[in-house]
Amino acid sequence: MVQKPGNHRPTASSRRDALRGLPAVGAALASRPFSPVVRRHGAPLATALLRESLADLRADAAAGRLSRAEVRRRATTAHLARDVDGRANALLAPAPRVVVNATGVVIHTNLGRAPLSGAAAAALAASARCYVDLEYDLSRGRRGSRMTHIEPLVERMFPGCAALVVNNNAAAIMVCLRALARGREVILSRGELVEIGDSFRVPEILSASGARLREVGTTNRTRLADYEAALSSRTGSILKVHTSNFRIVGYTQATSVEQLAGLARRAGVPLVVDWGSGDLVDLGPLGIHDELPAKTILDHGADLVTFSGDKLLGGPQAGFVVGRRELVEKIRRDPLARVCRPDRMLVGAVRATLASYLTGRAFEEVPTLRMLALEPGEIDRRARRVEREVARATGAGRLLARVDGVSRTGGGSSPAGERPTRLLAVEAPDGDAAGLERRLRDGDPPVVARVKDGRLLLDLRTVLPEQDAVLAARLAAALGAERSRPRARRVRR
Ligand SMILES: *Cc1c(COP(=O)(O)O)cnc(C)c1O
């Protein structure tokens, strides 16, 4: 048992005695208990971890945190071998880990945003271990461009436009502004000086691109005349940013893309629109009305539109720049475009994702869209199956209920993006819903869910259908563990 400092105060000499019992590194590694550990993890790593383990033990002993008997027990080669094995396993375990997302937040940035379609995952895996014709024109036997794998598809979705794909949308905006407005001014409404999420702040990206911010209007109202007054020979571009994760209500006025496009054309400066989530299809049928398709933004007269690959689009992390050919060409030649170019796996996964849209099968094949399209009735049927399974396994059916709720699109997309859903609501047998949530998160695979009003809420909208069974098993185990826990432990808390 670890003792609190101060509980046990060995004298300096007794500490020295205890430490004298520690084995030498070489002798420990050569001992029988270490042989499988060295075989599994390799001698260099086992040696380094053993040194760390011994150093920790020495520090604990020196600080008086351990009794002499405890130091002796931990200093055995059997114990040290187990400790080193544990350290190595934690260090080498595959990560990031697969989790069950039962939060109902479809584009969950902390959980990796969009899960890929089967075709996109297969394309990614196929190119991972092989050489591919990434930049090689097989018909001519000479160097090609990696964009040739994506361009023909994008051109069909955005007729007359050229496209560039980079690593993410932040990079897409940065390379646009750098290529078009470095050393010049970018006119942007004060209502669009947004922070999208951890480390993405529009003004910072803008200044990192070398362009200068020219703020216009106010937080709640920016008129066309404000933009017009800011135009000068120093203007490099007009920028419009989708305020994707918040909404200003009340006395507001924003200037539309159409109005800005007219102004930009008259002034001869490009209009760049950061369209954030960049859906490729109309999501109106899903009740999402504030997310116009990216093509509509171009139809409204934007010269360039940028968007993410892994938000509503439902592909891998990527950033798209689509629009006027001569501008895209200019951006392509910027060194920053080279710095954030997509690798071969990304190219394959983007292409496969776009293919689902071209064939009109995005709502079946692309997981984010498939999840958003799920009707509450279907979610309820799946929740009922999980409920039955858990009730059967634990006898704790009275703790489970299905209730109405809302799922969210999330991920800095569509602040109003809520969809009606059916939740599986679970009461903890001891009333400790937070404890139940923690146990679900602790296990394998971890289940991420939320607690509200003393109940654990699971939304199966964002659970992959093939994870329903494991979700039921994890929930049953978490409830079972609670029931079988001795009462004495519980009342102490
Ligand atoms: C999400 C978002 C970004 C950042 O995109 P990443 O692909 O995460 O780099 C930029 N602008 C807007 C409006 C966004 O919603």
Side-chain angles (χ1 to χ4, degrees), residues 113 168-170 173 196 200 242 244 274 276 308 311 412:
R113 288 198 185 156
N168 53 56
N169 188 30
I173 299 159
I196 300 299
F200 183 93
H242 190 337
S244 48
D274 167 17
S308 289
K311 289 187 181 170

Side-chain angles (χ1 to χ4, degrees), residues 107 109 113 164-178 192 194-202 204-206 209 239-245 272-279 291 294 297 304-313 315-322 331 336-337 340-342 346 350 411-413:
I107 318 289
T109 298
R113 288 198 185 156
L164 175 68
V165 173
V166 291
N167 268 317
N168 53 56
N169 188 30
I173 299 159
M174 194 151 151
V175 68
C176 278
L177 296 177
R178 200 185 121 90
E192 297 170 7
V194 299
E195 171 170 323
I196 300 299
D198 180 41
S199 75
F200 183 93
R201 289 176 150 191
V202 170
E204 285 169 10
I205 294 281
L206 206 147
S209 76
L239 175 64
K240 185 168 179 65
V241 178
H242 190 337
T243 53
S244 48
N245 54 0
V272 179
V273 178
D274 167 17
W275 203 236
S277 218
D279 12 320
E291 289 289 340
I297 303 305
L304 292 171
V305 62
T306 77
F307 51 89
S308 289
D310 56 349
K311 289 187 181 170
L312 285 176
L313 198 155
Q317 179 188 299
F320 288 74
V321 181
V322 183
I331 294 165
L336 189 59
C340 47
R341 73 179 180 185
L346 178 52
V350 164
S413 60

Side-chain angles (χ1 to χ4, degrees), residues 34-170:
F34 262 93
S35 86
V37 178
V38 170
R39 211 176 322 115
R40 257 199 301 282
H41 306 299
L45 183 59
T47 308
L49 294 176
L50 173 59
R51 288 214 167 92
E52 287 169 28
S53 176
L54 288 169
D56 288 352
L57 182 51
R58 246 180 242 118
D60 283 346
R65 284 191 286 266
L66 304 172
S67 68
R68 287 180 69 181
E70 183 61 12
V71 173
R72 263 199 305 280
R73 193 181 72 78
R74 294 200 190 181
T76 60
T77 49
H79 189 280
L80 287 167
R82 267 199 309 281
D83 185 60
V84 167
D85 194 37
R87 286 171 191 248
N89 287 335
L91 183 67
L92 302 174
R97 290 169 71 188
V98 169
V99 304
V100 177
N101 174 10
T103 64
V105 180
V106 177
I107 318 289
H108 198 307
T109 298
N110 302 144
L111 300 182
R113 288 198 185 156
L116 294 184
S117 70
L124 194 150
S127 67
R129 296 175 58 128
C130 306
Y131 293 108
V132 296
D133 64 339
L134 180 65
E135 283 189 347
Y136 190 71
D137 183 339
L138 287 170
S139 63
R140 298 208 179 100
R142 60 173 194 231
R143 190 181 198 286
S145 153
R146 61 188 67 206
M147 282 305 295
T148 57
H149 306 289
I150 295 174
E151 245 174 353
L153 287 79
V154 176
E155 279 169 5
R156 282 179 184 277
M157 308 171 113
F158 300 92
C161 291
L164 175 68
V165 173
V166 291
N167 268 317
N168 53 56
N169 188 30

Side-chain angles (χ1 to χ4, degrees), residues 104-410:
V105 180
V106 177
I107 318 289
H108 198 307
T109 298
N110 302 144
L111 300 182
R113 288 198 185 156
L116 294 184
S117 70
L124 194 150
S127 67
R129 296 175 58 128
C130 306
Y131 293 108
V132 296
D133 64 339
L134 180 65
E135 283 189 347
Y136 190 71
D137 183 339
L138 287 170
S139 63
R140 298 208 179 100
R142 60 173 194 231
R143 190 181 198 286
S145 153
R146 61 188 67 206
M147 282 305 295
T148 57
H149 306 289
I150 295 174
E151 245 174 353
L153 287 79
V154 176
E155 279 169 5
R156 282 179 184 277
M157 308 171 113
F158 300 92
C161 291
L164 175 68
V165 173
V166 291
N167 268 317
N168 53 56
N169 188 30
I173 299 159
M174 194 151 151
V175 68
C176 278
L177 296 177
R178 200 185 121 90
L180 304 180
R182 186 157 49 109
R184 302 163 70 94
E185 290 181 354
V186 172
I187 305 177
L188 177 64
S189 162
R190 291 197 170 91
E192 297 170 7
L193 286 168
V194 299
E195 171 170 323
I196 300 299
D198 180 41
S199 75
F200 183 93
R201 289 176 150 191
V202 170
E204 285 169 10
I205 294 281
L206 206 147
S207 80
S209 76
R212 280 197 307 278
L213 173 62
R214 179 77 166 83
E215 302 172 24
V216 295
T218 59
T219 306
N220 55 331
R221 290 172 73 92
T222 304
R223 302 179 186 81
L224 188 62
D226 297 323
Y227 288 90
E228 200 157 11
L231 281 167
S232 77
S233 59
R234 296 182 300 274
T235 307
S237 146
I238 298 175
L239 175 64
K240 185 168 179 65
V241 178
H242 190 337
T243 53
S244 48
N245 54 0
F246 72 102
R247 170 165 287 174
I248 296 176
V249 294
Y251 184 58
T252 65
Q253 179 176 355
T255 308
S256 70
V257 172
E258 287 109 316
Q259 289 173 304
L260 287 178
L263 181 66
R265 213 172 311 116
R266 288 196 296 282
V269 298
L271 170 63
V272 179
V273 178
D274 167 17
W275 203 236
S277 218
D279 12 320
L280 300 177
V281 287
D282 182 14
L283 300 177
L286 304 184
I288 299 174
H289 296 291
D290 52 350
E291 289 289 340
L292 296 177
K295 177 164 182 306
T296 307
I297 303 305
L298 290 167
D299 291 345
H300 285 180
D303 295 297
L304 292 171
V305 62
T306 77
F307 51 89
S308 289
D310 56 349
K311 289 187 181 170
L312 285 176
L313 198 155
Q317 179 188 299
F320 288 74
V321 181
V322 183
R324 259 175 50 205
R325 190 164 297 280
E326 68 276 18
L327 295 178
V328 172
E329 274 311 318
K330 190 168 177 192
I331 294 165
R332 261 185 213 179
R333 286 195 300 272
D334 192 284
L336 189 59
R338 167 64 181 79
V339 169
C340 47
R341 73 179 180 185
D343 69 19
R344 66 187 194 280
M345 290 166 285
L346 178 52
V347 168
V350 164
R351 182 179 160 98
T353 305
L354 295 180
S356 291
Y357 285 90
L358 266 183
T359 55
R361 288 199 286 264
F363 278 100
E364 293 111 77
E365 294 177 356
V366 175
T368 47
L369 294 188
R370 201 170 55 210
M371 287 174 182
L372 281 172
L374 284 176
E375 293 299 335
E378 170 63 17
I379 297 170
D380 190 60
R381 268 189 294 282
R382 285 172 53 197
R384 193 170 63 215
R385 279 197 292 274
V386 171
E387 182 182 13
R388 280 211 202 104
E389 189 55 40
V390 174
R392 196 188 54 71
T394 63
R398 72 199 152 75
L399 298 173
L400 304 165
R402 298 191 316 282
V403 299
D404 287 337
V406 287
S407 315
R408 286 190 296 126
T409 47

